[in-house]
Amino acid sequence: MDFQSKKLINDPNDVVTEFIEGLVETYPGLQYLDGFPEVKVVLRADVSGGTYDKVAVISGGGSGHEPAHAGFVGEGMLTAAICGDVFASPPVDSILAGIRAVTGPSGCLLIVKNYTGDRLNFGLAAEQAKSEGYKVEMVIVGDDCALPPPRGIAGRRGLAGTILVHKVAGAAAASGLSLAEVAAEAKRASEMVGTMGVALSVCTLPGQVTPDRLGPGKMELGLGIHGEPGAAVADLQPVDIVVSHVLKQILSTETNYVHITRGSRVVLMINGLGATPLMELMIATGKAVPRLQLEHGLAVERVYTGSFMTSLDMAGFSITVMKADQTILNLLDAPTKAPNWPVGADGNHPPAKIPVPLPPSRTKKNEETLGRPQQLSPEGHILEIAIEAAATAIINLRDNLNELDGKVGDGDCGSTMSKGASAILEDIKKCYPLNDPAETVNEIGTSIRKVMGGTSGIIYDIFCKAAYAQLKANSQSGITALEWAGALEAAIDAVSKYGGAKAGYRTLLDALIPASAVLKEKLAAGEDPVQAFALSAEAAVAGAESTKNMQAQAGRSSYVSADILASVPDPGAVAAASWYKAAALAVKNKYQAS
């Protein structure tokens, strides 16, 4: 079913002139001829035809393919671009105006996509310019590989490969080559390039209805850049399969459109057709490069990914493969000020992958210090007992936590916390350096990060990393009770800083903040550290229970009504109080037993 399209435009008849006005406001190096609406020509602001001493390179065609062609005007690429109306060849007078504006004694090269209207209009303009004394050459680009030969007098359509020809010709002209030499480089490049497109939708012209020719779940292979039908309509396939098919078509030895054989050096261009997210284009690129290398035996020397020659709002992409020798590569790498040529697209390509950097505790220097010690110190043994008790308490509480969370959240608090606790119990047996409390706390964070998804995993990892940093900074030998209290306070501050929660927000901090306060108070008053730990645990439990009376201001509970929250304590606070209390009781029982 067709429906009226939505466009951010004014009068559909003014889209091209208003596009040009915006373009030159954006890029000060560009100008346009004051001949609207008949003459729509974008040109380099630093070039004047009477004095320009190099070959001018001119291209153009119907608009709607932006950034082509005007976005490629700039030193080292096009000297001028002639803009027709949307999908309509520019008139002869407009082409002539462009030639006269930028062509000096060295002459000009016209690069024309192979469409009948463009060939006729640019051809007539070239003949008229020659009659006026200008030196003019013309190269026609037909890089389409979608349709089988022969194509009669129409030939292959000009597609995104034309942009690579622009770059080759522009760089050749900028280097000072003669008109004949520039034309020869452009012609050679045009004969070495092949393109095929795939569309998920057809495009919508300004002011017209949106056609629905393809329908849901379909894609069109070889669709033209003006929305003209392609070679075939097929069911939508994963991009890996699509890329493989397109590359085989371009490199087919049956059509032999491009003479590329195994061992050849090539350039790859993945071109968005207007409505394709860059993410999808990059996915296509990531699949195309290894296929060219492994399946077709080609050396991929350069890769260009982006939107170069579009078709208004068409969803899809085209793939261009160009055979490249060192001369072609040098011309592609040559500098240009054309605003839409990709920056940094030269041959300097470091390895695509490098190893993930390891934290300092995992470097080779420290490798021997990590891992479970063969003999635990008394402090290491107590730390092990406390950790195991805390983790076991969470595992035993899994179903209760899920039940609480089902009333105020998404029902997975217990399962998530239990995963982290199980990982801790597994890792403590083999990789926790228990005689080093700071490093052990750091490793607990690592265990949690590996398995605990969602917000809880991040919060507890931050908690452990902040505690580790505090312990590491302040301890030279053994860690005192006051230093443990300082680590707890630092951990709470970090969670509050990055998570945004504070006391009274109905989170795990409502259990830990009271515990921290009591622990510091009791230690400052000279209380036995073990007893202070136990008393602070009672404060944690009371704090968790008090969350029943709090309105949630963080997490999913913030969307739940106050009536429901009033009957349920915060599951995260309950979990925090539980592991804290279990650790405190385990330490107390150990000291009482000894």
Side-chain angles (χ1 to χ4, degrees), residues 228-291:
E228 63 268 33
V233 174
D235 292 334
L236 183 62
Q237 299 292 325
V239 71
D240 203 9
I241 296 174
V242 175
V243 166
S244 177
H245 173 82
V246 171
L247 291 177
K248 288 177 181 177
Q249 187 76 11
I250 294 172
L251 300 170
S252 169
T253 55
E254 296 180 9
T255 58
N256 204 29
Y257 278 143
V258 285
H259 304 289
I260 297 175
T261 57
R262 297 185 73 87
S264 296
R265 305 166 76 187
V266 297
V267 168
L268 170 69
M269 173 182 279
I270 303 293
N271 169 61
L273 295 178
T276 307
L278 185 59
M279 176 185 287
E280 295 177 24
L281 298 180
M282 290 298 179
I283 291 172
T285 299
K287 300 304 178 184
V289 170
R291 285 194 177 276

Side-chain angles (χ1 to χ4, degrees), residues 304-376:
Y304 307 101
T305 303
S307 293
F308 304 99
M309 182 176 287
T310 65
S311 184
L312 292 171
D313 57 353
M314 183 182 290
F317 62 86
S318 65
I319 298 179
T320 298
V321 181
M322 172 186 265
K323 187 176 182 180
D325 54 24
Q326 196 56 50
T327 298
I328 290 288
L329 295 176
N330 290 342
L331 293 170
L332 291 173
D333 292 344
T336 177
K337 294 182 179 179
N340 288 108
W341 180 255
V343 176
D346 57 24
N348 299 317
H349 201 312
K353 293 186 293 185
I354 61 172
V356 176
L358 298 175
S361 62
R362 287 297 192 190
T363 60
K364 185 175 181 180
K365 178 180 177 181
N366 295 330
E367 194 65 40
E368 294 181 359
T369 67
L370 294 182
R372 184 180 174 89
Q374 292 183 355
Q375 184 71 37
L376 290 181

Side-chain angles (χ1 to χ4, degrees), residues 410-431:
D410 52 10
D412 67 348
C413 176
S415 298
T416 301
M417 294 289 295
S418 181
K419 286 180 182 178
S422 297
I424 290 170
L425 291 180
E426 180 178 348
D427 291 346
I428 197 173
K429 300 173 184 177
K430 53 187 180 183
C431 61

Side-chain angles (χ1 to χ4, degrees), residues 102-126:
V102 299
T103 303
S106 297
C108 73
L109 171 66
L110 304 180
I111 299 176
V112 182
K113 299 191 302 300
N114 187 30
Y115 296 97
T116 302
D118 287 348
R119 292 175 60 175
L120 292 175
N121 287 358
F122 275 88
L124 179 54

Side-chain angles (χ1 to χ4, degrees), residues 337-494:
K337 294 182 179 179
N340 288 108
W341 180 255
V343 176
D346 57 24
N348 299 317
H349 201 312
K353 293 186 293 185
I354 61 172
V356 176
L358 298 175
S361 62
R362 287 297 192 190
T363 60
K364 185 175 181 180
K365 178 180 177 181
N366 295 330
E367 194 65 40
E368 294 181 359
T369 67
L370 294 182
R372 184 180 174 89
Q374 292 183 355
Q375 184 71 37
L376 290 181
S377 66
E379 294 80 7
H381 185 54
I382 292 172
L383 184 59
E384 179 182 44
I385 290 173
I387 294 171
E388 289 179 340
T392 302
I394 290 297
I395 293 171
N396 293 338
L397 202 62
R398 182 189 64 184
D399 293 341
N400 289 339
L401 290 173
N402 282 340
E403 182 179 353
L404 291 175
D405 197 36
K407 297 175 181 178
V408 297
D410 52 10
D412 67 348
C413 176
S415 298
T416 301
M417 294 289 295
S418 181
K419 286 180 182 178
S422 297
I424 290 170
L425 291 180
E426 180 178 348
D427 291 346
I428 197 173
K429 300 173 184 177
K430 53 187 180 183
C431 61
Y432 285 6
L434 291 161
N435 291 342
D436 186 334
E439 291 293 348
T440 298
V441 170
N442 190 38
E443 290 301 312
I444 291 173
T446 301
S447 299
I448 289 171
R449 184 173 65 244
K450 288 189 302 184
V451 298
M452 277 180 67
T455 305
S456 297
I458 295 295
I459 286 175
Y460 272 105
D461 195 12
I462 291 172
F463 183 90
C464 291
K465 292 297 182 282
Y468 163 74
Q470 184 73 14
L471 292 171
K472 202 71 174 174
N474 295 334
S475 65
Q476 298 299 321
S477 54
I479 295 178
T480 66
L482 282 172
E483 287 172 341
W484 276 113
L488 175 60
E489 186 176 31
I492 290 170
D493 289 344

Side-chain angles (χ1 to χ4, degrees), residues 54-74:
K54 294 181 179 177
V55 174
V57 180
I58 300 172
S59 189
S63 295
H65 306 302
E66 291 73 28
H69 301 82
F72 298 107
V73 174

